[in-house]
Amino acid sequence: MAWQQTRPEETGGLNGSVGGDPVALVQAFRRYHSRVAARTFRLYGLIPFATYKVVSWDDDEHKDAVHRTGLQLCNDGLRVTIDSTPGAAMMLLYVAPAQPLLSTGSM
């Protein structure tokens, strides 16, 4: 089971939230005696073509951060693994700065 809390005014990073505060929080829970350690949860309300950095609440240095587009998070979902029973995980979503396009040579 999981829920998502989104800050609608910050969701797309279109108003200066790039690299700033988190735009969403996902809290997932594993119940006592659950045999399922990993689940995928589809997210809602994200800008499809924005890139989001997903960071575990416990990962202060963002070493294990993953980058996904809003479209990927909404269509394919966010996979969350919780090893302990009962257990919980919290994931923060940040808008990632845009990456420059790479040139493949002269035109």
Side-chain angles (χ1 to χ4, degrees), residues 71-85:
L71 189 65
Q72 290 171 317
L73 291 167
C74 291
N75 288 346
D76 301 335
L78 174 64
R79 186 143 181 94
V80 178
T81 301
I82 303 171
D83 293 324
S84 61
T85 60

Side-chain angles (χ1 to χ4, degrees), residues 7-55:
R7 297 171 55 203
E9 71 279 2
E10 300 286 339
T11 304
L14 303 176
N15 58 358
S17 65
V18 172
D21 294 332
V23 297
L25 167 71
V26 175
Q27 295 175 291
F29 303 92
R30 182 175 178 191
R31 293 182 176 211
Y32 188 68
H33 291 301
S34 173
R35 295 181 181 168
V36 180
R39 295 219 27 211
T40 301
F41 302 99
R42 288 177 48 187
L43 305 185
Y44 297 90
L46 303 177
I47 303 299
F49 300 109
T51 299
Y52 295 89
K53 179 169 71 169
V54 182
V55 180

Side-chain angles (χ1 to χ4, degrees), residues 102-107:
L102 298 175
S103 174
T104 58
S106 61
M107 297 175 102

